[in-house]
Amino acid sequence: QKTAYEIPKRDWSSDVCSSDLLSDDVDVAVLARGSSGFSGADLANLVNEAALNAARYNQKVVRMLDFEFAKDKVLMGAERRSMIISENEKRVTAIHEAGHALLAVMLPHAEPIHKVSIIPRGMALGITMQLPADEKHNYSREHLEDQIAILLGGRIAEEITIGSITTGAGNDLERATDLARRMVCEWGMSGAMGPLTFGKKEEQIFLGREIAQHTDYSEDTALRIDQEVKRFVTDNSNKAQAVLGEHKQKLLDLADALLARETLDAEQVRRIAVGLPLEDIAPATGAAAALPPREPKTAKERQPIVPPLPPRPLTQE
Ligand code: ZN
């Protein structure tokens, strides 16, 4: 099969890569923060996908947008734009994700938001991505509590706007409960239980890397652990409910913006959170601004193998 565009042959054997294929707007630091935990092969895959995406649109350089597109694909699976979703389902997804995103912006100890999207990927109908400010290995109790609130925020947003709850939040609840349990049992963060760990972890060599939990506490303690886990979840559920209840209009605005644009970046979410309109966002600067629009020029070029368009830069609207 013939490729539509020719990719210039380069000598990759030299260990210094010339950067004239990279657009000025590529921010490696941002990419690095969003790809922590990637293996070498994942990173190679990411760069490959970005280059392919640039070639797909006949670009002379690889832009940040291409890297973002590639990163999302490697991280969350390819977009499933062909998936059939009812209008109602889409609205529920938008409200659910808006709940996560608004809390991520408003809670003081949360990780900064990166983007929120209602384009289905893999098994997920929507996604809210946060970006660690630095490569963190230690988290404070306040941070973890805010994280529990954010996880519960999707379900709470559905509850206070639509009045009903869908099954879409199942994974969120599991993760929130798991986090609360680890705070109590592994990290000694519960005042009532004290700075102790509960349950010994043992790696069973014969069962591969499966980890077995051993109970090393009494039934009475088990009961108190459950109460503490429940308290962490309920307290942060109440906190999320208070914030989203107070800012219900912003929650609805954010959901509307998501329905209209499918994906919002951090800046756009922040603008809605402080009640600013989205329209007067500054256009892209640097080399990216000088590049021609991404649409293929002729009708013949519009036909080909080109898979669905990646999200176009919203900042250029
Ligand atoms: Zn969710």
Side-chain angles (χ1 to χ4, degrees), residues 22-209:
L22 268 191
S23 160
D24 290 346
D25 72 335
V26 174
D27 191 336
V28 181
V30 169
L31 282 173
R33 273 159 58 198
S35 57
S36 67
F38 273 36
S39 67
D42 289 337
L43 289 171
N45 193 8
L46 184 149
V47 175
N48 241 345
E49 288 285 351
L52 280 172
N53 201 56
R56 209 170 271 157
Y57 294 97
N58 208 14
Q59 291 170 191
K60 298 265 188 299
V61 294
V62 185
R63 295 200 265 175
M64 186 63 173
L65 202 72
D66 301 308
F67 280 104
E68 283 289 340
F69 178 79
K71 193 188 73 194
D72 290 353
K73 190 172 172 186
V74 173
L75 208 59
M76 300 175 291
E79 291 180 357
R80 292 173 63 193
R81 284 176 178 276
S82 58
M83 194 170 165
I84 295 162
I85 307 162
S86 72
E87 283 305 307
N88 183 47
E89 211 167 5
K90 227 173 172 177
R91 187 173 142 72
V92 173
T93 305
I95 283 174
H96 180 102
E97 296 306 325
H100 289 311
L102 199 59
L103 285 173
V105 170
M106 288 187 160
L107 294 178
H109 303 287
E111 254 159 25
I113 190 158
H114 179 47
K115 74 165 96 174
V116 49
S117 165
I118 55 165
I119 300 170
R121 284 173 186 279
M123 293 298 288
L125 289 178
I127 191 146
T128 302
M129 283 178 74
Q130 289 164 271
L131 212 54
D134 45 55
E135 201 162 325
K136 269 190 190 165
H137 298 290
N138 290 311
Y139 291 105
S140 69
R141 177 179 155 165
E142 292 79 14
H143 168 82
L144 294 168
E145 291 203 63
D146 279 359
Q147 212 54 41
I148 293 176
I150 292 168
L151 283 167
L152 299 170
R155 175 190 159 104
I156 292 167
E158 291 179 38
E159 214 175 321
I160 62 177
T161 55
I162 310 168
S164 65
I165 307 162
T166 63
T167 53
N171 182 248
D172 293 342
L173 302 186
E174 197 185 317
R175 284 169 59 200
T177 313
D178 187 51
L179 205 52
R181 186 164 288 278
R182 295 184 72 185
M183 288 173 76
V184 177
C185 295
E186 281 179 43
W187 301 322
M189 287 177 171
S190 148
M193 301 304 295
L196 301 167
T197 63
F198 301 94
K200 274 209 165 61
K201 275 192 173 163
E202 208 171 272
E203 209 162 312
Q204 304 241 331
I205 303 153
F206 301 110
L207 297 172
R209 291 189 57 82

